[in-house]
């Protein structure tokens, strides 16, 4: 009797072990179907379980095993939107866990020329599309409540890398950017802007011109000083980058490359043309980096009113206090451009 009982026990034990092995093999061994070390899958807002299955099925070796575990862990009734990390070799059990953990995006942008370009850049990294982002940033209620206009709201965006969730709404992204803007404008920076009789938006607008004028960080405080000197005496800024911006805006073509501003360009009818209008343009002509902003807030004090690209130290500028000296510098540069055959 004992021998028979022992035999039955052994058979049951073996059967149980086989079941455990089968379960382990099916649900706790690799169930991925991609060659990369890791991939991200994006589940749009409003997706249901059927949608998720369609999205992830190309990356799953055995969907039956995945779905078995998903139902066991009540995932079909708790679908989450977002961006999820799948690593090569994950088991069905691990994959179900991964599709529950929304992974942040390291969203980066810099050197954008206008709000439309920024929205295109941002929309390539998060769920809201360009149209939705643009509408959100140009919302009249938001602009009025935060003292922005459609022309200067671009000043709110500071080039950096930000951590956000892929499925962040356009409104929440806007709020995050506004918070970052307010955080940037510390009491110290605001005090420096006040000392210049400029608002933060005006500082960024001037910084966008300085940013476009020179990539040399060592020169930027000097260039900023020139423009501040002009502002203080009521002289037009006469900044070529603003004319180039006006030309691109007129042509609705921000892809074109303009290396030379021609005499007739100076008369273009645009609020951004600082040859025809006194003071700052209505908003930034580009996204200045923090270095350019701080250059405006910490300008070099001097009596220069003019500057021109140098033909002796390429990338740098020649500065002048008088129009006579400036004309000499400007002629050198014009002659150099002509020698290079640069017409536009």
């Amino acid at each position: 009797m004992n021998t028979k009982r022992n035999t039955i026990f052994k058979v049951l034990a073996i059967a149980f072990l086989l079941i455990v092995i089968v379960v382990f093999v099916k649900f706790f061994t690799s169930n991925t179907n991609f060659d990369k070390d890791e991939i991200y899958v994006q589940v749009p807002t409003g997706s249901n379980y059927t949608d998720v299955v369609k999205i992830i099925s190309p990356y799953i070796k055995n969907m039956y095993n995945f779905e078995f575990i998903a139902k066991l862990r009540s995932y079909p009734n708790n679908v989450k939107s977002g961006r999820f990390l799948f690593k090569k070799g994950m088991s069905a059990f691990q994959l179900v866990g991964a599709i529950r953990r929304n992974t942040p995006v390291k969203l980066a942008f810099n050197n954008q020329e206008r709000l439309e370009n920024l929205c295109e850049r941002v929309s390539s990294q998060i769920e809201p599309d360009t149209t939705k982002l643009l509408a959100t940033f140009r919302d009249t209620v938001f602009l009025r409540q935060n003292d922005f206009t459609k022309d200067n709201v671009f000043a709110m965006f500071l080039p950096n890398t930000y951590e956000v969730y892929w499925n962040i709404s356009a409104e929440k992204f806007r709020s995050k950017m506004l918070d970052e803007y307010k955080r940037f404008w510390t009491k110290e920076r605001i005090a420096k802007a006040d000392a210049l009789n400029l608002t933060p938006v005006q500082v960024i607008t001037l910084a966008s011109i300085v940013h476009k004028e020179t990539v040399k960080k060592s020169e930027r405080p000097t260039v900023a000083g020139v423009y501040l000197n002009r502002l203080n005496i009521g002289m037009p800024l006469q900044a070529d980058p603003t004319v180039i911006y006006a030309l691109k805006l007129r042509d609705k073509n921000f892809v074109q490359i303009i290396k030379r501003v021609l005499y007739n360009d100076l008369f273009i009818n645009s609020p951004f043309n600082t040859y025809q209008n006194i003071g700052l343009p209505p908003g930034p002509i580009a996204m200045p980096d923090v270095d350019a902003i701080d250059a405006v807030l910490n300008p070099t004090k001097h009596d220069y009113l003019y500057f021109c690209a140098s033909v002796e130290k390429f990338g740098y500028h020649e500065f002048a206090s008088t129009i006579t000296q400036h004309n000499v510098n400007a002629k050198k540069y014009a002659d150099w451009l002509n020698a290079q055959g640069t017409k536009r």
Side-chain angles (χ1 to χ4, degrees):
M1 186 69 178
N2 287 337
T3 302
K4 184 177 182 181
R5 184 181 299 169
N6 290 338
T7 302
I8 293 173
F9 178 78
K10 289 180 180 178
V11 170
L12 292 174
I14 292 171
F16 177 76
L17 181 60
L18 289 173
I19 292 173
V20 169
I21 292 172
V22 169
V23 169
F24 179 82
V25 170
K26 289 178 71 67
F27 305 127
F28 296 97
T29 58
S30 176
N31 193 30
T32 55
N33 188 36
F34 50 86
D35 294 326
K36 294 181 179 180
D37 290 336
E38 56 184 43
I39 63 166
Y40 287 96
V41 294
Q42 297 166 342
V43 177
T45 300
S47 297
N48 57 31
Y49 179 63
T50 301
D51 297 325
V52 173
V53 169
K54 290 180 181 178
I55 292 168
I56 68 173
S57 59
Y59 312 110
I60 306 297
K61 185 185 299 182
N62 189 314
M63 280 304 297
Y64 171 81
N65 292 349
F66 173 87
E67 293 199 68
F68 181 89
I69 295 294
K71 291 172 183 177
L72 195 64
R73 301 183 66 182
S74 302
Y75 174 74
N77 296 322
N78 295 282
V79 170
K80 298 180 183 297
S81 62
R83 174 177 177 262
F84 305 98
L85 174 62
F86 284 0
K87 294 183 178 180
K88 185 177 181 180
M90 275 185 165
S91 66
F93 189 87
Q94 290 172 319
L95 288 165
V96 173
I99 203 71
R100 292 177 182 272
R101 294 189 295 273
N102 198 358
T103 306
V105 173
K106 296 288 186 181
L107 186 151
F109 56 79
N110 65 355
N111 205 32
Q112 303 299 303
E113 205 161 16
R114 56 184 183 143
L115 186 61
E116 289 85 346
N117 301 121
L118 172 68
C119 289
E120 289 176 9
R121 171 67 177 155
V122 171
S123 67
S124 70
Q125 299 174 76
I126 59 176
E127 184 176 20
D129 62 21
T130 302
T131 302
K132 177 64 175 176
L133 289 168
L134 273 173
T136 302
F137 298 139
R138 287 174 172 167
D139 177 70
T140 54
V141 174
F142 168 78
L143 295 176
R144 185 172 62 253
Q145 289 177 343
N146 294 281
D147 296 323
F148 289 122
T149 68
K150 64 180 180 64
D151 288 321
N152 69 27
V153 68
F154 191 41
M156 183 176 73
F157 302 93
L158 299 163
N160 208 335
T161 299
Y162 302 94
E163 185 171 277
V164 299
Y165 287 109
W166 174 79
N167 57 319
I168 188 173
S169 68
E171 291 76 15
K172 286 186 178 180
F173 178 70
R174 181 182 67 189
S175 295
K176 181 174 179 62
M177 293 298 97
L178 182 60
D179 288 343
E180 294 290 344
Y181 173 80
K182 291 178 178 178
R183 189 176 297 114
F184 175 82
W185 283 100
T186 60
K187 290 181 180 180
E188 181 183 7
R189 282 194 172 107
I190 290 175
K192 288 181 177 181
D194 288 342
L196 296 171
N197 293 317
L198 298 176
T199 67
V201 168
Q202 288 174 325
V203 168
I204 290 178
T205 299
L206 182 53
S208 72
I209 298 174
V210 173
H211 179 98
K212 281 291 187 179
E213 286 285 14
T214 178
V215 297
K216 303 298 184 182
K217 293 183 179 182
S218 61
E219 255 198 353
R220 284 177 172 176
T222 306
V223 172
V226 171
Y227 285 128
L228 288 168
N229 287 344
R230 291 180 181 180
L231 284 174
N232 289 336
I233 64 173
M235 176 181 173
L237 292 184
Q238 297 180 333
D240 286 2
T242 66
V243 176
I244 292 172
Y245 184 89
L247 290 169
K248 290 181 176 182
L249 195 63
R250 180 198 64 188
D251 298 341
K252 297 180 181 179
N253 180 5
F254 278 81
V255 178
Q256 63 178 309
I257 297 174
I258 300 175
K259 294 182 178 181
R260 187 175 188 177
V261 173
L262 306 177
Y263 178 73
N264 288 338
D265 296 336
L266 306 183
F267 300 96
I268 182 173
N269 183 21
S270 169
F272 286 91
N273 181 0
T274 57
Y275 276 85
Q276 297 298 312
N277 301 285
I278 301 291
L280 292 163
I285 60 168
M287 177 183 289
D289 58 29
V290 173
D291 180 80
I293 297 171
D294 283 340
V296 173
L297 293 174
N298 302 279
T300 302
K301 295 187 183 303
H302 52 64
D303 61 356
Y304 297 140
L305 287 174
Y306 309 95
F307 65 96
C308 178
S310 175
V311 297
E312 297 170 358
K313 292 177 64 179
F314 289 104
Y316 290 88
H317 293 80
E318 301 291 346
F319 295 87
S321 302
T322 66
I323 188 64
T324 301
Q325 183 58 51
H326 173 64
N327 286 339
V328 172
N329 296 335
K331 186 178 185 306
K332 286 182 182 178
Y333 184 61
D335 290 345
W336 181 84
L337 284 177
N338 291 333
Q340 302 303 309
T342 303
K343 298 185 182 301
R344 195 50 153 166

